Amino acid sequence: MKKLALSLMCLVTTIASAQKLKNKTANPKQTKEHLVHESIELETDRIFKKLVAIRRDFHENPELAGHEVRSQKIIKQYLLDLGLEVETDVYGHGVVGILRGGKKGKKIAWRSDMDALPNDFPDAVAFKSKIKGIQHGCGHDVHMAIALGIADVLSKNKESIKGTVYFIFQPEEETFVGAKSMVDSGLLSKINPDEIYGLHVSALPVGQIMVKPNEMFAYQKRIRIQLKNELSKDDAKGLMEKISSSLFRATTGSKPWEIQNMVDPKIGLMNPNTIFKNYLFVDEHFSTRSKNNQFFLEAYLYETDQSHLTEIIPRVKKIIEENGYKDQLLSLSFIQENPTVINDEKLTGVAIKTLDNIYGKNAVTPDYGQVPFFNDDFAYFQQKTPGVYFLLGGSNFEKGIIAMNHTPNFQVDEESIRTGVKCFSSLIIERLNKN
């Protein structure tokens, strides 16, 4: 695990850039590029406190999927104040801000989700949710602040931008509805972006950016087994244990469901020998119910290899039959098959190289695994437009801040906002102006 935060790397690189600017033999084009990114850093620092205040306001006033009324209003006004065109008739309470550069060029979209979670987990911050039973326990408040910050910074560089930036504020991510509904409503067909980017705050150390080409998460499937007659609690548990043990595949001795280990330098995502690759496991928390003398078992499973997905149902059927339930089996199927985030291989490589060139070698940490349990409907945008989805570190272990999403006492070090705004503003402007 890297001990230095990305913000420190950025600072070192900025100093180096300033020294190069003093060199009379420096390439004029290179000097101009450095000036742009120095300007981005300075502007990010200038608005940082404002973005923190906005994030905290979102945190205190969370809204569930389908109810993002207040968030929409705040986002719309902020973008209008920046001079952006704003559209809200894009599905639900979504918002699209349009920043047209001073010159013609390609079109890039940046996506931020908006909704909160239905829970009352302990929250260690002073700016707790004012809405009982609802919290920003996944970091979408941070995502909105970062997206507004990028829009703010890029609006100050409007005349030097070649092309158009679309800021998509998407509702209903937690229910896996919003992105698909925006796509089905024709949003991407209307704006027709060439590339799309987004991020999610994670339990990685603050300032750390992590990405990989192809699948970022495991494929999540929910399987349903329908049997004649009811099974006892013990029989149901025994059957699920046999299915689970028969399907299980992972690095010897590893437990890929223990996601707290994703940040472990020895076995976590940043290690080429990570335990979070090449696995298949069934969630131990399965559900049962009876109806009309029929018995239903349902469970989630997580598979990293797409080529193995079609094998799962036949394998489960064989296990059921071999354990004496052949005559009782009525049906067997996946009842939930959300797509997973798949990063465009070429764009991912370009993004890594771009950020490394601007903010120093290894500004981006390679990701060698696939995270279970979590997923993002950003996948629906990627089905239509080549895109890259990043993980952004929000933990500060020295301060006791652990950004493990969907858990009690979830917190985010707000320095991650500075990193996100600065680095991804630079990425977007480079992608626009170099193509």
Side-chain angles (χ1 to χ4, degrees):
M1 186 188 303
K2 290 189 175 75
K3 298 296 183 182
L4 295 178
L6 182 57
S7 56
L8 181 55
M9 296 179 187
C10 295
L11 178 60
V12 172
T13 307
T14 301
I15 294 172
S17 298
Q19 291 173 339
K20 289 180 182 179
L21 287 172
K22 294 178 181 178
N23 189 337
K24 294 181 180 180
T25 62
N27 184 308
K29 183 178 180 181
Q30 187 179 38
T31 299
K32 184 177 180 180
E33 290 174 356
H34 284 169
L35 286 171
V36 168
H37 297 300
E38 285 182 352
S39 172
I40 285 173
E41 291 192 64
L42 291 171
E43 186 60 29
T44 300
D45 291 342
R46 188 186 71 79
I47 64 174
F48 177 66
K49 289 184 179 179
K50 178 173 69 171
L51 297 178
V52 168
I54 290 170
R55 180 261 165 155
R56 294 184 178 187
D57 180 71
F58 283 138
H59 194 86
E60 288 182 328
N61 299 277
E63 296 171 306
L64 292 176
H67 300 275
E68 306 91 341
V69 178
R70 184 179 184 276
S71 300
Q72 182 192 54
K73 182 179 179 181
I74 292 171
I75 291 166
K76 177 182 178 181
Q77 191 58 54
Y78 193 102
L79 296 175
L80 287 172
D81 290 344
L82 294 177
L84 272 64
E85 300 171 37
V86 178
E87 296 187 9
T88 55
D89 57 342
V90 291
Y91 172 75
H93 301 294
V95 184
V96 176
I98 306 170
L99 175 62
R100 302 188 190 278
K103 303 173 184 177
K104 291 184 178 181
K106 70 194 305 179
K107 295 182 283 186
I108 289 180
W110 179 270
R111 174 271 203 166
S112 167
D113 34 20
M114 301 166 65
D115 52 334
L117 290 167
N119 67 49
D120 263 328
F121 284 155
D123 193 355
V125 299
F127 45 95
K128 293 177 173 60
S129 170
K130 297 176 181 178
I131 315 299
K132 184 174 176 58
I134 307 175
Q135 289 180 345
H136 267 297
C138 198
H140 296 184
D141 51 343
V142 175
H143 301 174
M144 289 185 282
I146 289 173
L148 291 174
I150 296 172
D152 201 329
V153 169
L154 293 185
S155 69
K156 303 300 189 297
N157 290 274
K158 179 179 178 179
E159 293 308 313
S160 64
I161 290 177
K162 299 176 184 176
T164 305
V165 187
Y166 296 94
F167 295 94
I168 302 173
F169 291 85
Q170 177 215 310
E172 302 175 46
E173 189 280 330
E174 293 294 351
T175 54
F176 232 79
V177 169
K180 186 176 187 300
S181 296
M182 280 187 150
V183 171
D184 290 346
S185 298
L187 173 62
L188 293 185
S189 298
K190 180 179 179 180
I191 65 177
N192 195 28
D194 298 293
E195 303 167 11
I196 187 166
Y197 298 90
L199 62 75
H200 208 295
V201 69
S202 75
L204 296 165
V206 61
Q208 189 173 83
I209 294 173
M210 179 177 278
V211 74
K212 69 184 291 290
N214 303 313
E215 293 94 344
M216 286 289 286
F217 303 100
Y219 291 90
Q220 181 188 55
K221 309 290 180 183
R222 186 167 179 82
I223 194 168
R224 174 184 288 169
I225 303 167
Q226 183 179 1
L227 301 170
K228 294 179 184 176
N229 305 320
E230 186 170 351
L231 268 64
S232 68
K233 184 177 179 180
D234 288 342
D235 286 343
K237 182 179 180 181
L239 177 58
M240 290 306 299
E241 286 177 348
K242 288 174 181 176
I243 291 171
S244 179
S245 62
S246 296
L247 293 180
F248 181 71
R249 183 186 79 253
T251 303
T252 303
S254 70
K255 299 177 181 179
W257 54 88
E258 294 184 344
I259 58 172
Q260 69 272 19
N261 291 324
M262 64 183 279
V263 298
D264 188 315
K266 295 180 180 179
I267 59 175
L269 297 174
M270 67 289 294
N271 193 309
N273 298 315
T274 180
I275 65 170
F276 295 100
K277 64 179 179 181
N278 191 24
Y279 61 78
L280 167 60
F281 69 87
V282 179
D283 192 342
E284 64 178 354
H285 303 291
F286 64 92
S287 65
T288 63
R289 62 184 175 88
S290 299
K291 183 179 181 181
N292 299 328
N293 204 33
Q294 295 178 2
F295 191 69
F296 299 84
L297 294 93
E298 295 180 8
Y300 282 105
L301 55 85
Y302 301 88
E303 167 64 80
T304 55
D305 192 333
Q306 185 181 27
S307 67
H308 292 330
L309 294 175
T310 57
E311 303 170 4
I312 294 174
I313 293 296
R315 288 178 64 188
V316 173
K317 182 179 180 182
K318 184 178 179 181
I319 296 165
I320 292 171
E321 292 176 348
E322 288 177 345
N323 283 275
Y325 296 98
K326 180 177 181 179
D327 293 336
Q328 284 185 252
L329 182 61
L330 294 174
S331 68
L332 174 63
S333 64
F334 289 132
I335 58 172
Q336 184 177 333
E337 298 184 85
N338 292 330
T340 198
V341 172
I342 301 179
N343 285 338
D344 183 86
E345 192 165 353
K346 181 179 178 181
L347 284 185
T348 301
V350 170
I352 293 171
K353 184 177 180 180
T354 300
L355 289 172
D356 280 353
N357 286 342
I358 298 168
Y359 292 116
K361 186 172 176 57
N362 301 321
V364 180
T365 301
D367 180 357
Y368 295 99
Q370 290 164 243
V371 182
F373 304 119
F374 298 114
N375 198 357
D376 197 303
D377 67 354
F378 184 78
Y380 287 108
F381 292 125
Q382 291 178 312
Q383 290 177 353
K384 301 293 183 180
T385 303
V388 184
Y389 177 96
F390 302 86
L391 296 180
L392 175 66
S395 294
N396 188 319
F397 303 112
E398 289 77 13
K399 294 181 179 180
I401 296 174
I402 310 297
M404 182 60 76
N405 318 84
H406 293 225
T407 61
N409 292 311
F410 166 79
Q411 293 185 71
V412 178
D413 188 324
E414 291 168 330
E415 278 296 318
S416 60
I417 297 174
R418 193 193 309 267
T419 300
V421 172
K422 174 172 49 182
C423 293
F424 294 112
S425 293
S426 288
L427 174 63
I428 292 172
I429 207 165
E430 284 294 307
R431 291 301 299 148
L432 287 170
N433 290 354
K434 283 201 170 182
N435 292 276

